[in-house]
């Protein structure tokens, strides 16, 4: 660890503190403070204590740590869902993926990591303030130069045909941008929508059916992590859990032929 790196300190209750290490910097806690220099000398994976004996473990923040702690304009896609979106999109290094809206850049960070330095992420965001926040959050954590932010409404975008290996949508009305996506998404590849409400899922599928858009509904799912408190003899599910975040709808782009124009719900 060195100056300029992110550091994450975790106290004995599991509370985390995320900050950048700076020359002359000090981490202040209600029971004492610690110099950044001392944190660097101790190093990640070790422990450090304030003069008052308050002990912390030192870590490099994971992407999950960063997304949960980073400044936000819009609520980021929850990490458990962002990771699953990458899996449902079947992303691999070198692929090109489209997303909207960028929001705070949470999902952007996951997509950029999944496609790697040789891949590309095109991220649309209609609100300038959100776009700037997403750009800053990406640059502050991990930027391989593989993300292109575009300010604008994805519904108005003219995208190159058959140019994306996947599309991820985290916006209120994904059905309003489907006409832009259909020609841009490669045949047999996936669109995944992140939708907090079941009513949105139903509207999306109804719209696809009504407009006869060439998608197969592969599945709709929720990602549930049930964390446990294990400190023998205590061993039970934690009383506080992450509750509902959103539904993930996975749709596969199919060829639009005369025999196959309708959405087939599996
Ligand atoms: C919930 S936020 C996305 C959060 C983001 N996934 C993240 O992890 O930080 C939804 C964003 O979509 C943007 N948005 C809504 N409709 C849009 C559209 N048609 N085109 C582009 N951006 C849109 C909103 O401005 C908002 O910032």
């Amino acid at each position: 660890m060195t100056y300029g790196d992110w550091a994450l300190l975790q106290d004995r209750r599991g509370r985390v503190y995320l900050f950048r290490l700076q020359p002359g910097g000090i981490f202040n806690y209600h029971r004492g403070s610690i110099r950044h220099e001392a944190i660097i000398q101790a190093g990640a994976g070790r422990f450090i204590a304030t003069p008052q004996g308050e002990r912390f473990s030192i870590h490099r923040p994971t992407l999950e740590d960063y997304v949960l702690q980073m400044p936000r304009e819009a609520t980021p896609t929850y990490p458990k869902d962002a990771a699953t979106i990458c899996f449902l999109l079947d992303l691999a290094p070198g692929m090109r993926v489209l997303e909207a809206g960028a929001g705070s850049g949470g999902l952007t960070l996951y997509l950029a990591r999944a496609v790697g330095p040789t891949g590309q992420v095109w991220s649309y965001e209609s609100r300038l303030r959100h776009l700037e926040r997403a750009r800053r959050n990406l640059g502050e954590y991990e930027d391989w130069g593989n993300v292109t932010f575009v300010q604008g409404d994805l519904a108005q975008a003219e995208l190159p045909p058959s140019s994306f290996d996947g599309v991820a949508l985290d916006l209120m009305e994904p059905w309003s941008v489907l006409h832009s996506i259909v020609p841009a998404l490669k045949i047999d590849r996936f669109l995944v929508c992140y939708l907090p409400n079941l009513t949105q899922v139903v509207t999306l599928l109804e719209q696809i059916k009504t407009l006869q858009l060439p998608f197969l509904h592969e599945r709709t799912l929720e990602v549930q992590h049930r964390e446990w408190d294990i400190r023998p003899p205590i061993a039970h599910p934690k009383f506080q859990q992450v509750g509902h975040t959103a539904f993930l709808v996975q749709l596969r782009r199919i060829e639009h032929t005369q025999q196959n124009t309708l959405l087939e719900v599996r």
Side-chain angles (χ1 to χ4, degrees), residues 12-160:
R12 62 198 159 88
R13 289 189 193 83
R15 285 180 300 220
V16 294
Y17 305 87
L18 179 76
F19 52 90
R20 254 191 207 285
L21 295 165
Q22 292 168 351
I26 292 177
F27 167 69
N28 286 309
Y29 192 67
H30 65 280
R31 291 195 66 230
S33 50
I34 302 172
R35 287 177 298 111
H36 289 192
E37 189 188 349
I39 295 169
I40 291 171
Q41 276 165 8
R46 301 210 168 77
F47 289 88
I48 197 161
T50 65
Q52 287 84 343
E54 204 63 49
R55 208 165 77 124
F56 297 87
S57 54
I58 306 171
H59 308 284
R60 295 177 195 280
T62 62
L63 181 50
E64 179 186 21
D65 293 325
Y66 181 72
V67 168
L68 292 176
Q69 301 286 323
M70 70 187 187
R72 49 178 74 177
E73 289 293 339
T75 307
T77 309
Y78 209 85
K80 68 179 174 65
D81 298 311
T84 306
I85 289 171
C86 294
F87 150 73
L88 292 173
L89 288 172
D90 189 37
L91 293 181
M95 286 184 172
R96 189 197 267 191
V97 62
L98 172 70
E99 77 152 343
S104 300
L107 181 56
T108 320
L109 276 154
Y110 276 85
L111 296 172
R113 189 177 267 195
V115 299
T118 57
Q120 288 181 41
V121 181
W122 285 28
S123 181
Y124 275 74
E125 173 53 58
S126 46
R127 291 190 229 182
L128 182 59
R129 214 179 62 232
H130 291 196
L131 184 111
E132 283 171 352
R133 168 54 60 203
R135 199 195 300 274
R136 216 170 307 140
N137 281 341
L138 179 84
E140 294 260 312
Y141 185 73
E142 188 171 82
D143 189 356
W144 290 318
N146 60 353
V147 178
T148 304
F149 286 107
V150 183
Q151 197 211 335
D153 183 346
L154 184 57
Q156 312 293 329
E158 281 184 23
L159 301 164

Side-chain angles (χ1 to χ4, degrees), residues 177-198:
V177 304
L178 292 176
H179 58 278
S180 298
I181 292 166
V182 169
L185 179 58
K186 291 180 186 172
I187 304 283
D188 212 31
R189 296 297 302 171
F190 300 98
L191 159 65
V192 176
C193 298
Y194 177 88
L195 296 167
N197 303 295
L198 197 54

